[in-house]
Each structure stands twice: as C-alpha cells, then as structure tokens.
Amino acid sequence: MSEQSSALKAAPNSGRREPGISPSAQSMDDNFVQIVDVVKKFGETTAVRGVNLSVKKGELFALLGSSGCGKSTLLRMLAGLEPVTEGQILIDGEDLAKMPPYRRPVNMMFQSYALFPHMSVESNVAFGLRQEGVKGGELKDRVNNALELVQMAKFAKRKPHQLSGGQQQRVALARSLVKRPKLLLLDEPMSALDKQIRQRTQIELVNILDQVGVTCIMVTHDQEEAMTMANRLAVMSEGQIVQLGTPHEVYEYPNTRFSAQFIGSTNLFDGNVVEDEPDHVFVESQDLPVRLYVSHGITGPLGMPVTISVRPERIALTRKPPEGAYNWGRGRVTNIAYMGGYTLYHVTLDSGKVVVANLSSLAIGEIDSPTFDDEVYVRWSASAGVVLTS
C-alpha cells in the first residue's frame, strides 16, 4: 500500500485481546456496534422482530436472507434512513436514536452506487467532503488517497458512464471511505456485476476493507458472496436472526431446516429418534432401508421427530452395496448436471426420496462414471450428518 493510502489505514481487529489492551477496551471492541431489542413496524406489519446483535470493531459482518426478511430494513435503521420503532442502536457506545443521518459516523454504499453522472470521478469522491466544508490541500489529499486505495487514481477525470460496473463500484467505495466513517454499510454491493467480475471483486473489496480497518455490515441475498467475504454472518428470516456464526459454523452446523436449506444445498431425511447417547444418535426414517447414524447426541426423548441434514459433497456413490447397517440407500440415477470441477448426481431411492450427491472428477472416475438409470448406492459417514430439531 502506498504512503498516500496509508492515511486511510487503521489496524483491523482480530477479535483477540492484544497485550496492553485492557479488558474493558477489548469489550468495547467486541461490541463496537450494538443492536439491542430492535423492532421496526410499518403500520400493522412488523419487519424486524426484536433483533439483538453485536459486531466487532474491524469486522466484516453479513446480513443474509431472502427478499423481505428484514435485512435491508435493519441496514436502513443503522444509516438513519428509517426510525427505530423499539430498541437501541449504538456505535462505539454512542446511542444513535436522536442523531440525524448526516451526523452519524456511518456511510452507506447503495446497490445502484448512486454516482452523479455529470461529475467526474474525483468530484464524486470529493462531494461529501465539500458538504462538510473540507477545502484546499486537505480535500485534494484525501480524495487522492481514497482513489489510490481503490486503484482508480488514473481515472480521476472520467465520468461514471466511461467506467465499467466494477470501476463504478470502486468509485462508490472510495466516496464512502473518504469520509472516514466508523461504520460502512454495503447494500447488495455486487448485485450489478456479472458473475465472473463479481467473484474477483469480492476478494478485492475484502482486501481494501482490511487495509482500511473499517467496521463493515453488508446486506446480501447471495450466500456465496456472504461466505466469501464475511468474518461472521447472520441468517435472517421473517424479521428475526435464526442463526449467527462464522461461514464455516453456519454451513457445517445449521441449527434449523431453514438455515440448512438457505446456506448451500442439503439433503434432508425426516425420522424419529430410536437411540440417543452423548456421542451419537440413531434415527429411523422411511426414506432409507437402514437407520441413520449421527456422531453427536441431542438429549431428546425417544420417538422425537427430527431431521438429518447431509450436504451433497458428503455423499458418496458406489456400484456395490455398502457394508454396515446405517447411512445408505439404493436407487437409480435420474439426473446428472456437469458443473466443470464437479458433477451433481440426482439419485431417486427405492423409497422415492431424491438424494443429491456432489462428486469430484476423481471420485467419478473411481466408480466408473454412472449414467442415467444406472443402479447405484448412496452412503455417508456418521460425522457427515447434523440433527435438526426445528
């Protein structure tokens, strides 16, 4: 990073207490943004229902959910574009309730980028600073620093229509960062970009935000985007947070059917608990001829209805019946989708249940490339499944 862009840099917070930092200061960093019992109503409709959330200083946090789940409403309340019906929002210990949007230490980058078409790149980036009365050498230096940080300094004299979608996004980001906000809000930041550009830009954006060290909350319905970019994420449904954790935690250990199906894809087997111990559970299901065996307990009563989630990449295909008395079924290949690096196999079991298996090219070669209507067996290990009780 250049000397010019270093003016924007702040050390990102790792979430671990550094030597010399008091526990109270560490606690403030861990609760840099606090959303406390927040409710938002539009007339008789409740869009956000008692949300509680803490975001760490320097963290890139994602709010993930389908349209209408309340994530954008929550973002707009943080920005001050919507009033809070009930509850509190605090940034760095400061209550935002009575603070107008223009006074909040928050900047928001909109989905459309909202660049002024008649202004040059540098004028777009300078606009907010000019509104605050910044002039002369300070204005020029801060604009140059921001443009250099996003690698757009050589396009400073161009107009927005002369830029690609990815370049426009960088200008919008520079305009947001130049005001040195305590909190940056991103509303569907990649939705206007083509998939190939979007994937590359996700990494670039994470690197820029890491250099600056700004705390960031982004809203997206794109699970891949959230998994790629966020340190932690919250899955929202019907105005509530249904699961919170790192991308790895939420993907590998979903806590509800909704989370399991919304983050990635999964196979769900409904059944009833027939044995529950601290280190394992057995479930009987009409979907399979054998019991389901999961290597963790649930502390539930016998007969309790549950669902077992098994990700497609955890399922193997074989030509021969598997050994063992659990976690397998027989069926026929009913659909094949070649995805380049892997192939999706849809196998309809004897019970009528459709199981999806994600196989790498190496794995396919080992079982002699099954094709349509071939008889195969699906199987998975005891550690591949997660028991869902809701």
Side-chain angles (χ1 to χ4, degrees):
M1 187 172 62
S2 71
E3 291 181 4
Q4 284 183 315
S5 61
S6 65
L8 287 168
K9 184 179 179 181
N13 180 264
S14 66
R16 293 189 293 270
R17 186 160 70 91
E18 299 295 334
I21 298 179
S22 68
S24 60
Q26 181 70 13
S27 177
M28 284 295 292
D29 282 356
D30 287 348
N31 298 285
F32 186 71
V33 179
Q34 291 179 280
I35 298 171
V36 185
D37 296 326
V38 165
V39 174
K40 177 60 184 177
K41 294 183 178 181
F42 296 98
E44 298 298 315
T45 302
T46 303
V48 175
R49 303 171 181 272
V51 167
N52 287 279
L53 178 65
S54 292
V55 177
K56 299 176 183 179
K57 189 172 185 178
E59 186 172 35
L60 202 169
F61 190 93
L63 295 170
L64 180 64
S66 53
S67 297
C69 72
K71 60 186 187 300
S72 292
T73 300
L74 194 55
L75 201 73
R76 290 175 64 82
M77 286 191 287
L78 281 161
L81 303 178
E82 293 287 352
V84 175
T85 305
E86 298 175 21
Q88 282 184 303
I89 295 177
L90 300 96
I91 296 179
D92 203 11
E94 190 173 15
D95 192 343
L96 302 185
K98 297 181 180 180
M99 193 179 297
Y102 63 87
R103 288 194 57 204
R104 296 189 180 198
V106 177
N107 258 20
M108 185 167 179
M109 193 174 101
F110 293 94
Q111 183 176 349
S112 63
Y113 308 144
L115 299 176
F116 298 112
H118 62 287
M119 291 185 181
S120 67
V121 164
E122 62 182 359
S123 294
N124 265 282
V125 174
F127 181 80
L129 294 178
R130 287 198 173 102
Q131 294 295 105
E132 293 180 348
V134 179
K135 300 177 182 178
E138 182 185 358
L139 176 67
K140 183 177 179 181
D141 288 345
R142 288 176 64 175
V143 170
N144 287 342
N145 292 345
L147 288 175
E148 196 167 289
L149 180 69
V150 299
Q151 300 176 18
M152 288 297 293
K154 64 182 178 181
F155 301 103
K157 302 300 182 182
R158 291 193 183 182
K159 299 288 180 64
H161 73 271
Q162 297 173 308
L163 305 175
S164 68
Q167 290 171 332
Q168 289 181 28
Q169 185 205 54
R170 292 185 183 197
V171 175
L173 179 61
R175 186 176 61 183
S176 298
L177 293 176
V178 77
K179 294 182 70 176
R180 300 170 184 167
K182 288 185 177 181
L183 176 64
L184 176 64
L185 306 176
L186 305 178
D187 183 13
E188 301 280 3
M190 308 292 173
S191 62
L193 304 179
D194 295 336
K195 183 175 182 179
Q196 189 172 12
I197 298 174
R198 185 164 68 242
Q199 291 174 334
R200 184 176 69 248
T201 306
Q202 287 168 358
I203 304 300
E204 292 175 349
L205 181 55
V206 169
N207 289 338
I208 291 169
L209 295 176
D210 186 55
Q211 288 179 42
V212 177
V214 67
T215 306
C216 179
I217 299 177
M218 63 179 284
V219 156
T220 180
H221 67 275
D222 186 330
Q223 53 193 267
E224 181 180 318
E225 185 170 287
M227 300 280 283
T228 300
M229 297 180 64
N231 303 116
R232 289 190 303 145
L233 58 87
V235 181
M236 292 191 68
S237 177
E238 298 180 349
Q240 296 176 305
I241 293 175
V242 297
Q243 187 163 5
L244 174 68
T246 66
H248 178 268
E249 289 168 346
V250 174
Y251 184 83
E252 297 293 345
Y253 308 106
N255 61 359
T256 62
R257 290 177 69 106
F258 179 84
S259 288
Q261 291 177 300
F262 191 80
I263 302 292
S265 60
T266 193
N267 297 285
L268 299 177
F269 301 91
D270 295 322
N272 298 90
V273 175
V274 294
E275 183 178 326
D276 182 23
E277 298 294 339
D279 62 346
H280 72 269
V281 61
F282 280 105
V283 174
E284 284 188 348
S285 172
Q286 295 182 351
D287 295 328
L288 298 174
V290 295
R291 288 179 172 182
L292 291 124
Y293 173 38
V294 181
S295 59
H296 68 81
I298 61 169
T299 316
L302 297 183
M304 176 183 179
V306 295
T307 300
I308 308 299
S309 169
V310 185
R311 298 291 186 185
E313 65 271 17
R314 299 298 186 91
I315 291 181
L317 296 187
T318 63
R319 295 282 193 173
K320 297 179 180 180
E323 297 179 1
Y326 53 83
N327 294 354
W328 63 265
R330 184 183 65 183
R332 293 191 176 275
V333 177
T334 50
N335 194 26
I336 302 172
Y338 177 69
M339 307 300 289
Y342 63 94
T343 299
L344 290 177
Y345 280 86
H346 291 236
V347 178
T348 301
L349 303 182
D350 292 343
S351 63
K353 173 76 174 181
V354 177
V355 174
V356 180
N358 175 340
L359 271 67
S360 67
S361 298
L362 177 61
I364 293 171
E366 291 175 349
I367 57 171
D368 190 26
S369 301
T371 189
F372 289 98
D373 207 36
D374 279 2
E375 182 178 275
V376 294
Y377 292 84
V378 297
R379 63 176 177 84
W380 57 94
S381 68
S383 62
V386 177
V387 181
L388 307 176
T389 58
S390 61

